[in-house]
Amino acid sequence: GAGVSQSPRYKVAKRGQDVALRCDPISGHVSLFWYQQALGQGPEFLTYFQNEAQLDKSGLPSDRFFAERPEGSVSTLKIQRTQQEDSAVYLCASSLLTGVNYGYTFGSGTRLTIV
Amino acid sequence: GIQVEQSPPDLILQEGANSTLRCNFSDSVNNLQWFHQNPWGQLINLFYIPSGTKQNGRLSATTVATERYSLLYISSSQTTDSGVYFCANSRDRGSTLGRLYFGRGTQLTVWP
């Protein structure tokens, strides 16, 4: 597609439920990133894929967070047994891994609220 | 991780005014980028600028890598410039982009 698409746009879940957030990157973009943005803060890195390989997951806050990108395109971020501190905007970004284009393109994010 | 400090944290301007936003880094400047987050939450890439100066319309950016800072200039500001401006840096060199470290942003409000 023309941009990075994320769904759902908004998600409300009860504490303890599992949630799955989807990211559809720009076609052909090799790199895919997930960030978490709390209210009033800058985005914080969660994890990074190059094609289907998860090269860095050091930012995932706990083992309740899991991300996958099985075919090197669409990615899913899953949060198990959600807690209130998981409430945030989850941003996905992709980039074209070449020698000339280094810029990120972000999606509009999924605003997750845990009640 | 890399420390990224942005100033000022808040900026209120009258339409037509000019402004300068600053970003300081604790580590070497590699893949320095400036972003604008509009009131709907969309993060838009403004500049990729690990060094030197770039201009795009009313916006320009300068990075002085040896002194570990970058500046974003907004001239003749408009109400549509309102939002949060972030700078971000990474440790990675060359063509591989990895983890970006973001500052806390500058909240810009432009009044008509």
Side-chain angles (χ1 to χ4, degrees):
Chain A
V4 177
S5 178
Q6 292 188 247
S7 59
R9 187 77 176 91
Y10 302 93
K11 175 71 177 178
V12 179
K14 291 184 178 179
R15 189 160 55 103
Q17 285 184 330
D18 298 348
V19 297
L21 312 180
R22 177 187 168 104
C23 174
D24 203 335
I26 293 174
S27 178
H29 276 199
V30 169
S31 297
L32 185 146
F33 308 82
W34 285 98
Y35 284 80
Q36 180 190 58
Q37 187 175 20
L39 191 63
Q41 304 291 319
E44 293 278 345
F45 172 83
L46 293 176
T47 187
Y48 161 52
F49 290 87
Q50 192 173 114
N51 294 307
E52 68 278 6
Q54 190 173 19
L55 298 186
D56 187 351
K57 56 181 180 179
S58 62
L60 295 177
S62 76
D63 58 8
R64 296 186 296 104
F65 287 71
F66 173 76
E68 60 182 4
R69 193 186 186 198
E71 297 179 359
S73 178
V74 171
S75 177
T76 303
L77 176 66
K78 298 179 180 177
I79 309 173
Q80 298 177 324
R81 305 182 302 282
T82 52
Q83 300 177 4
Q84 284 199 314
E85 61 262 31
D86 299 335
S87 296
V89 175
Y90 290 85
L91 296 165
C92 177
S94 68
S95 73
L96 185 63
L97 196 66
T98 71
V100 295
N101 186 338
Y102 299 91
Y104 274 50
T105 301
F106 276 87
S108 298
T110 293
R111 182 175 296 277
L112 175 64
T113 303
I114 305 301
V115 297
Chain B
I2 298 173
Q3 302 300 312
V4 182
E5 294 182 1
Q6 291 190 242
S7 60
D10 298 278
L11 189 56
I12 300 174
L13 300 174
Q14 195 83 33
E15 201 168 29
N18 302 327
S19 61
T20 301
L21 283 57
R22 185 178 177 104
C23 198
N24 291 331
F25 300 95
S26 64
D27 207 322
S28 57
V29 178
N30 295 314
N31 294 300
L32 191 285
Q33 301 188 47
W34 282 97
F35 295 88
H36 174 225
Q37 189 166 43
N38 63 27
W40 296 271
Q42 180 78 45
L43 264 173
I44 305 296
N45 190 305
L46 298 175
F47 293 103
Y48 169 73
I49 184 165
S51 64
T53 298
K54 288 186 179 179
Q55 180 151 10
N56 184 1
R58 296 180 297 102
L59 302 182
S60 64
T62 295
T63 296
V64 183
T66 53
E67 298 186 25
R68 299 181 180 178
Y69 74 88
S70 184
L71 303 173
L72 179 69
Y73 305 97
I74 305 174
S75 64
S76 305
S77 57
Q78 300 177 359
T79 56
T80 51
D81 295 332
S82 295
V84 184
Y85 289 81
F86 291 102
C87 61
N89 191 21
S90 79
R91 283 205 175 94
D92 299 277
R93 296 183 178 275
S95 63
T96 302
L97 266 190
R99 174 179 191 161
L100 278 178
Y101 294 84
F102 283 80
R104 296 188 64 170
T106 292
Q107 172 76 58
L108 175 65
T109 304
V110 181
W111 293 98

